[in-house]
Amino acid sequence: MNQAATTSAGNRPHFLAGQGVQKAHERLLIYWWHDRCPARHGRGDRQSRSHFGCPPLVGVAQIWPAPCRSPRRGVAPEGYAQLKVALSSRRHHRSQQGRTRQMSQVVVGVDPHKRSATIEVIDQRERVLGKGRFGTDHDGYKAMLAAGRKHAERIWAVEGCNGIGRHVAQRLLADGETVVDVPTKLSARARVFATGQGRKTDPVDAHSVAVAALRTSNLRQVQVDDTTVALRLLVDRRDQLGRTRTEVVSRLHHLLLELIPGGAKKFLSAQQARALLNTVRPRDVVGKTRRWLASELIHELVTIDKKIKVANAELTELVASTGSTLQELTGIGPSGAARLIGDVGDITRFASRAHFASWNGTAPLDASSGDQNRHRLSRAGNRRINRALHIMAVVQLRRDTEGRRYYRRKLADGKTPMEAMRALKRRLSDIVYKRMVADAKRIKTGPGGQVGATLQSSAADLNPKADTSEKSLPGPAEPQLLTAP
């Protein structure tokens, strides 16, 4: 390495290597003769284009200036290659260790069902390390857990942790495992682009889940069930009672129409229905049967109303325990507040109110093409949150609120009633997001706390990467009492 190696071809040097590299800034000059310019893709003497004696390519930055073509055909001028060799540093060694540590982690893809679960274990190169089908009973779950724990560094990827995969994910969390949620759409895309003609079987689904978790960053890590899950369960029960009541009232309307000329009014309570039924005394068998069925439906309606009252009280108490102030907004009751808190969960997972509006389906979709700039209605997103915002908008239109004034301004601007309603829902989505962020900050800091500014904060938006031109439209101004100077 310390002596220059020379090889002669006649009286001219053919290959000359400089002194060896001792420091990071030292350079190695290599002179060589060739018969053709590199611009001609290296046609000529193969030996003259050899890189023999050059350092390894790992950690080497090479600069190869292309020499000019000689004016005489067949003769090429002398060129040079300048190699800048960087010595390995401690940071590079640490990055190699981190890469090795990452490569040693395996992913256990789980395709869950009610009574069974299919798993597949893959490494960072998608090599299958193990697979199997297990039951979800006590013995089957223990066998599945033991199969996954054969690998030291592992992460469980469960499909649909908010749906069919919840029971498996929560049992894994209770045993101290790390679980990430893989959306069903994401695993379906991985299955479509894989080989096997898109066949859908349990082993194929488990492989798709594992690959999607391996190649997708920022997947949601599943947490242990908390108050938000209880709110979601209670509000689902409340919505089910509401649908049952609507069905009972509809059947009652149909019977009263056959018993009373003109039927009953649209919004009917149990007491009003019983008063109308007492005015009817049929004597035939068909009439008596209709009256008996109507009396049974009224009794069911009374029972459902009592259950709805109890459910509302439980929701109100549980929402108040979370410290949320959503019920202070016009149009949001206990059910709406519980739905927002239960489905949203951590509001900080949305970078901005625009992200939140896109998630709940109130943000329009860009359908521009060429010189035509237009937007269309979004039918995606969380439809339950979209329904809660729709109910909030309807209630604000019935009262003298800022939402009704905003709606009328949109109508005056030439928008149709449906377009004005969509604009109002988008505005209410921003207001709800702002209120939930404020509640999260207050709960995090505690009474009398102060969050303050950080290096990652932004004056334009909660998202530090957002500029003032990327902000959504400001929400309606909240009324404030004027104080005397």
Side-chain angles (χ1 to χ4, degrees), residues 19-276:
Q19 294 182 353
V21 179
Q22 297 180 359
K23 297 182 180 179
H25 63 276
E26 292 181 354
R27 298 179 179 180
L28 178 62
L29 301 181
I30 302 174
Y31 295 88
W32 81 98
W33 290 85
H34 52 82
D35 296 333
R36 285 293 183 265
C37 177
R40 297 177 62 87
H41 304 285
R43 291 185 298 177
D45 187 10
R46 181 173 298 179
Q47 183 179 1
S48 64
R49 290 180 284 106
S50 174
H51 292 172
F52 178 79
C54 294
L57 294 180
V58 178
V60 180
Q62 301 182 3
I63 305 175
W64 298 91
C68 300
R69 187 175 182 181
S70 174
R72 291 189 299 172
R73 183 177 180 83
V75 179
E78 179 180 339
Y80 69 93
Q82 187 178 23
L83 277 71
K84 195 172 184 179
V85 184
L87 298 178
S88 60
S89 61
R90 185 174 301 176
R91 180 180 302 176
H92 178 71
H93 181 65
R94 290 179 180 176
S95 62
Q96 291 291 341
Q97 288 182 349
R99 189 178 295 108
T100 304
R101 187 181 303 111
Q102 183 181 4
M103 292 293 291
S104 63
Q105 190 179 40
V106 300
V107 178
V108 184
V110 182
D111 178 40
H113 295 279
K114 291 182 179 179
R115 296 179 179 85
S116 66
T118 304
I119 70 170
E120 181 172 299
V121 185
I122 64 174
D123 60 4
Q124 297 294 323
R125 296 183 180 179
E126 297 186 15
R127 293 178 300 188
V128 179
L129 305 179
K131 60 175 64 176
R133 181 183 179 89
F134 305 91
T136 55
D137 54 356
H138 181 75
D139 296 335
Y141 171 75
K142 290 297 182 182
M144 183 184 70
L145 187 62
R149 286 182 173 177
K150 292 181 180 179
H151 309 277
E153 297 186 5
R154 63 193 174 275
I155 182 172
W156 295 78
V158 182
E159 183 182 25
C161 291
N162 287 333
I164 191 62
R166 175 182 294 276
H167 65 105
V168 176
Q170 292 298 323
R171 293 171 73 179
L172 290 172
L173 287 176
D175 288 329
E177 299 294 327
T178 302
V179 183
V180 295
D181 181 18
V182 178
T184 55
K185 291 184 178 180
L186 192 61
S187 60
R189 292 171 185 171
R191 183 178 64 251
V192 168
F193 285 102
T195 57
Q197 301 178 354
R199 296 188 180 122
K200 189 179 185 306
T201 60
D202 290 346
V204 172
D205 288 344
H207 179 75
S208 302
V209 171
V211 172
L214 178 64
R215 301 304 178 191
T216 306
S217 59
N218 300 328
L219 287 178
R220 184 180 69 89
Q221 184 172 348
V222 184
Q223 303 294 334
V224 181
D225 290 342
D226 53 1
T227 308
T228 58
V229 179
L231 283 171
R232 187 161 57 245
L233 293 174
L234 288 178
V235 75
D236 288 343
R237 169 63 174 168
R238 172 63 180 82
D239 292 344
Q240 182 182 5
L241 290 173
R243 290 191 295 269
T244 304
R245 187 185 190 281
T246 302
E247 181 182 356
V248 170
V249 171
S250 177
R251 293 164 57 189
L252 184 59
H253 271 289
H254 181 72
L255 291 175
L256 291 178
L257 183 63
E258 299 291 337
L259 294 173
I260 302 174
K265 65 177 184 177
K266 183 177 181 180
F267 300 100
L268 187 65
S269 63
Q271 292 77 9
Q272 294 171 349
R274 192 178 299 278
L276 289 175

